[in-house]
Amino acid sequence: MLLVTSAEMQKLDTVMIEEIGVASAALMESVGLRVAEVTMDMVDGTGAHQSMGERVSSRSREMDSRKMIAVVVGKGHNGADGLVAARYLHVLGYSVRVWLTSDERDLSHLTHIQLCAYRNVHGRLAEETDDLTQADVIIDAILGNGSQLPVREPLRPFLQAIHKAHRPVLSIDFPTGLDPDSGQVDVDCVKAVRTVACGLSKPGLYVEPGRAYAGQITIASLAISYHMAVRHGAHHFLVTEQDIAKRYRRRPQDSHKGSFGRVGVLAGSPGMYGAARLAVEGAYRAGAGLVYYFAPEDLSDTWVSGFPVEAVVKRYAGRAGVWNVDAIASLLALFAQVDVGVIGPGMGRSMQDSPEALLALAQLPIPLVLDADFLQVVAASEDGGVTFFEHRKHLTIITPHPKEFAQLIKRPTSVVQENRLLYAKEYAVKTQTIVVLKGAGTVIATPEPAVWINSTGNSGLATGGTGDVLAGLLGGLLASGYGAESAALVGVYVHGKAAELACTTQYSQESLVASDLFAWFGTAFRQISWEMDISHDG
Ligand SMILES: NC(=O)C1=CN([C@@H]2O[C@H](COP(=O)(O)OP(=O)(O)OC[C@H]3O[C@@H](n4cnc5c(N)ncnc54)[C@H](OP(=O)(O)O)[C@@H]3O)[C@@H](O)[C@H]2O)[C@@H](O)CC1
Ligand SMILES: Nc1ncnc2c1ncn2[C@@H]1O[C@H](COP(=O)(O)OP(=O)(O)O)[C@@H](O)[C@H]1O
Ligand SMILES: [K+]
């Protein structure tokens, strides 16, 4: 689902008004009506808005419910939307009170016109005796797309009063105090249970911490077409089940294991061979034809016997953690036998002392999934990985968690987390890789650039080894024929979905461990294949 940043939305508003020819007031009427509908559903039950027309014409009968709606209005056009909603709700018989956050003379021209229209139907402003705590719903129409954080006076007391009222809040466009591009929030940010986004939804409503402030999101359509939005620069997306179903690749009936490619896994180190096992099984569970595990010659048979029985263990001529010329040559010969490489889980950082090995791997002429320790080695190289990525001429997916990513871009982890979308995109463009920046709301950024926000997963995944499983999954999807962007999106989605499925049945978010996920990938894949059938039939 397409999302737009604040600047893109401003541009699209202008295009709608000046090029398409829809008046500003008409756009506001449309948003305000949708806000009124959602408010009715909140106070009178889902579907209540469907009888809106009948309700106007039999007002006296409906008047007795007198549910109270408080509308807190800012001086810009967000306030104008709120005033349109206030007018509808008042005429429908609700007890509406409007709180103006600024002097009436400071309202923008169109907002003032909407205030007059509200007054012309005998709508009332809040008086001394009115109190937000009396409201059945508070509509936050304070700041929208013209907001610049942090929140300034005189707005802060209004935000604090909304918090103190402890009533359900509907925010127009996005909660006041939230940055729609990054999802960062002001300390007094409004916490909504519903948000009605204007025209198209905004990325900041789907990433932490903003996601927790937005509640359930409804989009008030302004008939802005997908193509028009993309033409004007929109490049953020929320990953939905429908997006994934469109990318799902059904396995042909007349296939054989050669149809689904070979994955080579270079992972594990003394004490960490479990990470390698998880990656190997992840690659198989995504559908790879064959998965090779590249083991050092001194890896004990006990460890090897613990690998999934399907794994093909191939020894390279070298001891664990020693990357001399022979070991590198032997490894390159093994990688020549596979279609995709997965490098890094639990691998340790011994390669840090062997820039030759790093460079040799950079030049592998196959798609690579690079994860964990290997990324830390790349980050620690003299130029922070610039040379490494310059030498990479083939498709690369990197799967850092926030701390690993922070090392790659040489910024503190907290700074990365404040703007995950932006940093992931910048790095994808700079290195021409697909960046899978993990963590709640995993971000997938491509060099195009396109930035996707994943919608699946839960805190059950916050446990050792789940990232190793993901790296394997992505390798398996690439080997079995998915393009790079699709492999990243489908892999991340299915990984999160498996955690959700596991936690609604057998496990809980506390008890889930990485290897539990394997049992749930089947159901997750089946769900997206059903979804594909439904969307094809429909
Ligand atoms: N364009 C259209 O036709 C359509 C627009 N639509 C709607 O309009 C919304 C955008 O409207 P908008 O551009 O007027 O911005 P909005 O946020 O309401 O007010 C900005 C004002 O707030 C002030 N202000 C800013 N930051 C502040 C802060 N931190 N603390 C305190 N004050 C602050 C700032 O004041 P100034 O800095 O100028 O003094 C400025 O005057 C959009 O979200 C959607 O709801 C839809 O109906 C579709 C059609
Ligand atoms: N709270 C959460 N919500 C959703 N996904 C999460 C959460 N915490 C972690 N994850 C996911 O779990 C995985 C953890 O990967 P990583 O940190 O590399 O773990 P490990 O190195 O132990 O394998 C990533 O896919 C990440 O997106
Ligand atoms: K708002």
Side-chain angles (χ1 to χ4, degrees):
M1 184 177 85
L2 189 64
L3 307 170
V4 286
T5 61
S6 169
E8 288 157 6
M9 193 63 222
Q10 268 170 19
K11 174 79 190 152
L12 287 168
D13 275 340
T14 309
V15 170
M16 284 301 285
I17 296 161
E18 293 176 6
E19 292 177 27
I20 307 293
V22 184
S24 218
L27 297 173
M28 284 165 187
E29 196 72 13
S30 187
V31 170
L33 171 58
R34 194 78 190 97
V35 170
E37 289 175 347
V38 173
T39 308
M40 285 181 78
D41 287 357
M42 285 171 78
V43 291
D44 286 337
T46 309
H49 76 271
Q50 282 165 357
S51 59
M52 186 185 261
E54 292 80 350
R55 202 162 158 168
V56 179
S57 46
S58 56
R59 181 180 161 212
S60 54
R61 188 166 54 81
E62 301 290 344
M63 280 282 284
D64 37 322
S65 76
R66 300 307 281 170
K67 297 265 174 53
M68 186 192 156
I69 315 295
V71 188
V72 190
V73 167
K75 64 180 176 176
H77 293 172
N78 198 254
D81 293 342
L83 286 163
V84 172
R87 171 161 45 84
Y88 272 94
L89 292 164
H90 167 73
V91 170
L92 284 159
Y94 294 95
S95 168
V96 180
R97 295 288 181 279
V98 164
W99 271 259
L100 293 180
T101 60
S102 67
D103 192 285
E104 197 177 321
R105 284 165 302 190
D106 293 334
L107 294 181
S108 77
H109 176 62
L110 289 176
T111 311
H112 195 256
I113 289 178
Q114 293 300 350
L115 178 65
C116 294
Y118 174 67
R119 281 215 181 100
N120 290 342
V121 295
H122 309 293
R124 291 172 55 181
L125 295 186
E127 290 161 9
E128 287 278 303
T129 50
D130 290 315
D131 186 349
L132 285 176
T133 59
Q134 299 159 346
D136 290 283
V137 169
I138 300 174
I139 297 179
D140 153 32
I142 303 176
L143 288 176
N145 216 19
S147 64
Q148 307 280 341
L149 296 187
V151 173
R152 296 191 310 268
E153 296 309 329
L155 299 185
R156 207 166 278 288
F158 287 96
L159 302 190
Q160 289 164 351
I162 291 175
H163 269 290
K164 280 206 195 105
H166 291 293
R167 305 303 304 149
V169 178
L170 178 160
S171 284
I172 303 183
D173 213 5
F174 45 83
T176 296
L178 180 144
D179 177 341
D181 296 350
S182 69
Q184 286 302 295
V185 292
D186 184 278
V187 280
D188 291 319
C189 182
V190 169
K191 198 152 194 179
V193 293
R194 299 287 297 258
T195 291
V196 176
C198 303
L200 292 158
S201 200
K202 318 291 170 331
L205 298 175
Y206 303 93
V207 293
E208 301 297 341
R211 179 161 68 164
Y213 288 75
Q216 187 186 335
I217 297 160
T218 304
I219 299 169
S221 170
L222 295 176
I224 299 169
S225 79
Y226 177 92
H227 295 291
M228 188 170 98
V230 169
R231 214 171 40 245
H232 287 94
H235 60 282
H236 288 80
F237 303 86
L238 177 73
V239 179
T240 62
E241 189 163 53
Q242 290 76 12
D243 293 321
I244 295 303
K246 278 191 213 136
R247 290 165 187 267
Y248 176 70
R249 288 173 61 91
R250 195 176 294 292
R251 285 161 79 96
Q253 206 51 42
D254 62 347
S255 49
H256 52 88
K257 64 176 180 282
S259 317
F260 302 112
R262 292 171 196 207
V263 179
V265 176
L266 180 60
S269 58
M272 293 293 282
Y273 286 106
R277 289 184 196 171
L278 291 169
V280 166
E281 184 157 358
Y284 265 125
R285 297 285 178 189
L290 277 171
V291 185
Y292 290 1
Y293 175 59
F294 300 151
E297 59 192 6
D298 59 345
L299 178 64
S300 79
D301 288 339
T302 322
W303 270 108
V304 170
S305 65
F307 270 79
V309 289
E310 300 82 0
V312 181
V313 178
K314 300 239 172 191
R315 304 266 183 182
Y316 61 87
R319 299 205 333 271
V322 180
W323 308 103
N324 55 29
V325 178
D326 289 345
I328 298 168
S330 174
L331 259 180
L332 293 185
L334 289 178
F335 270 113
Q337 299 175 21
V338 297
D339 305 296
V340 174
V342 174
I343 306 181
M347 191 175 161
R349 276 171 253 163
S350 51
M351 207 178 269
Q352 220 155 292
D353 306 322
S354 174
E356 311 75 36
L358 202 57
L359 223 51
L361 293 178
Q363 292 171 69
L364 281 174
I366 50 171
L368 293 181
V369 179
L370 305 178
D371 184 38
D373 290 339
F374 186 79
L375 291 176
Q376 297 203 27
V377 171
V378 171
S381 58
E382 219 164 83
D383 56 7
V386 175
T387 310
F388 179 87
F389 287 113
E390 274 172 8
H391 280 80
R392 241 346 263 146
K393 299 292 178 229
H394 290 78
L395 197 158
T396 313
I397 301 179
I398 64 170
T399 55
H401 60 49
K403 199 168 155 211
E404 288 155 359
F405 191 62
Q407 289 171 6
L408 283 167
I409 69 166
K410 311 239 173 296
R411 287 177 195 267
T413 311
S414 58
V415 171
V416 166
Q417 292 296 74
E418 277 167 19
N419 210 335
R420 288 162 56 82
L421 302 172
L422 180 72
Y423 290 122
K425 174 172 80 175
E426 284 181 355
Y427 202 66
V429 172
K430 182 174 150 198
T431 58
Q432 294 292 297
T433 58
I434 292 189
V435 175
V436 174
L437 176 53
K438 296 183 292 193
T442 292
V443 176
I444 300 114
T446 75
E448 203 177 324
V451 182
W452 295 80
I453 304 166
N454 186 45
S455 53
T456 59
N458 59 37
S459 75
L461 288 172
T463 176
T466 52
D468 310 328
V469 174
L470 178 69
L473 267 186
L474 301 187
L477 290 168
L478 284 173
S480 60
Y482 281 81
E485 186 180 83
S486 289
L489 294 174
V490 173
V492 170
Y493 181 90
V494 164
H495 184 253
K497 195 70 182 176
E500 289 175 8
L501 290 165
C503 294
T504 49
T505 46
Q506 205 168 341
Y507 299 101
S508 68
Q509 293 187 27
E510 295 79 14
S511 72
L512 190 76
V513 296
S515 54
D516 297 333
L517 292 172
F518 294 128
W520 298 94
F521 290 137
T523 316
F525 276 113
R526 279 209 307 279
Q527 281 192 0
I528 58 175
S529 100
W530 292 331
E531 181 64 34
M532 182 178 90
D533 293 342
I534 293 165
S535 46
H536 278 198
D537 293 349

